[in-house]
Amino acid sequence: MSVDTTTPATPDDVVAIFRRVLQREDVTAYSDFFQLGGDSLIATRVLSAVARGHGVELTFEEFLAEPTPAGLAGRITGAV
């Protein structure tokens, strides 16, 4: 029997991840990760945190398509 460990995400959940990995408090639901100074290496930390916290493994291409907390939350919830 498999156990479903996926959980939906809110933009606030992803804002918290962005704030932690970018070490910035000025992140909002519509802040662009890359405009805040994020890069591909730091993006992997976001993707790892999403996988650990929500059980969803997003690709880097999905991250590039939706580089805001609101966009990523939508991708996470869509995958659940």
Side-chain angles (χ1 to χ4, degrees):
M1 178 171 109
S2 71
V3 176
D4 183 8
T5 60
T6 58
T7 58
T10 67
D12 287 340
D13 296 331
V14 185
V15 164
I17 294 170
F18 275 32
R19 286 180 178 171
R20 186 176 66 249
V21 301
L22 292 170
Q23 298 179 354
R24 295 180 66 137
E25 291 300 316
D26 60 339
V27 179
T28 70
Y30 298 99
S31 296
D32 184 289
F33 176 81
F34 298 102
Q35 289 178 355
L36 292 171
D39 59 29
S40 60
L41 185 59
I42 298 171
T44 61
R45 292 179 57 202
V46 172
L47 294 172
S48 292
V50 166
R52 278 191 315 276
H54 299 282
V56 174
E57 291 194 23
L58 299 176
T59 66
F60 184 67
E61 289 75 22
E62 289 173 305
F63 190 102
L64 288 175
E66 301 284 356
T68 67
L72 286 179
R75 292 266 180 168
I76 295 164
T77 300
V80 172

